[in-house]
Amino acid sequence: MLRTLIRAQANSLRRGPVPRSILDDSPVSPDLSEDPALVDGIRPGTPPLHQRTPPASPTPSQHAAHRAALRKTFPAGWAPPRKLSRDAMDGLRALHRFDPEKFSTPILADKFRISPEAVRRILKSRWTPPVKEKVQRDAKEREARAGVVRLSRIRERVEAQKVLEAKDPKVGGRDSFTFE
């Protein structure tokens, strides 16, 4: 029995002092009250809730809730039926920046014939194409415009030729009033 007591004391010394129980009688009564600041999560120097700024990025719980709402709204994933060109998206953003109240999300959705969710995503996104891609797109647009101009000039020449033939019958070769 003495050996057991000595071993218990030796083990307790190796582990360190044993914490006292609140049930032990002591001349000082323990303070069991709670600090309201710690319970409410307020730290010294923290501004009240109405003066705090929200975090820049959503918290994990907010992000999870948003993803769940999107999954519920779009079970097959986000696949808009109508897609806008990059220029149309830039125009949409410019209109909203010009007057957010006049060009609100529902109004822009109606004018561009897309869903309000698509407008919200366009306004939220900040992605721009890389410079190289933008230069290539601009070159294609210039080439397409040049093709349209060439085609319209050819049409004008053909129409001018028809007008000249109608005014001067000998321009086209044969006269429509003679039988030669």
Side-chain angles (χ1 to χ4, degrees):
M1 174 114 165
L2 184 61
R3 284 185 184 171
T4 323
L5 188 60
I6 293 173
R7 280 188 196 151
Q9 278 185 335
N11 286 338
S12 69
L13 289 175
R14 276 188 229 138
R15 289 187 211 136
V18 178
R20 291 183 7 166
S21 170
I22 59 169
L23 301 175
D24 290 342
D25 289 337
S26 73
V28 180
S29 63
D31 182 19
L32 298 178
S33 65
E34 294 181 347
D35 185 9
L38 291 175
V39 171
D40 295 336
I42 300 173
R43 295 185 181 95
T46 304
L49 280 176
H50 67 280
Q51 291 179 348
R52 294 182 198 171
T53 56
S57 60
T59 62
S61 61
Q62 289 173 331
H63 182 70
H66 177 68
R67 298 296 297 167
L70 286 178
R71 268 191 231 105
K72 180 180 165 192
T73 307
F74 306 106
W78 174 248
R82 186 164 183 273
K83 296 180 180 175
L84 295 181
S85 67
R86 173 78 31 213
D87 292 333
M89 287 185 208
D90 292 340
L92 187 141
R93 284 191 198 100
L95 287 172
H96 185 73
R97 246 191 329 265
F98 177 69
D99 190 358
E101 295 194 7
K102 184 176 180 182
F103 298 108
S104 63
T105 301
I107 292 171
L108 289 171
D110 186 46
K111 296 295 181 188
F112 283 85
R113 289 181 279 133
I114 56 177
S115 70
E117 175 66 15
V119 172
R120 186 191 69 75
R121 286 172 180 245
I122 291 168
L123 292 176
K124 182 179 151 189
S125 74
R126 297 286 176 241
W127 183 86
T128 55
V131 175
K132 184 178 179 183
E133 190 177 312
K134 194 171 184 179
V135 168
Q136 288 175 346
R137 190 184 77 214
D138 290 345
K140 275 187 181 179
E141 286 178 8
R142 278 194 303 276
E143 191 177 312
R145 270 189 255 124
V148 169
V149 169
R150 270 189 246 114
L151 188 61
S152 68
R153 285 183 182 161
I154 291 171
R155 284 185 187 146
E156 287 175 6
R157 285 186 195 137
V158 169
E159 288 178 18
Q161 187 68 26
K162 286 181 182 177
V163 169
L164 283 175
E165 287 176 4
K167 282 187 179 180
D168 190 7
K170 293 186 181 180
V171 172
R174 290 189 51 158
D175 184 1
S176 61
F177 294 112
T178 59
F179 296 107
E180 295 181 39

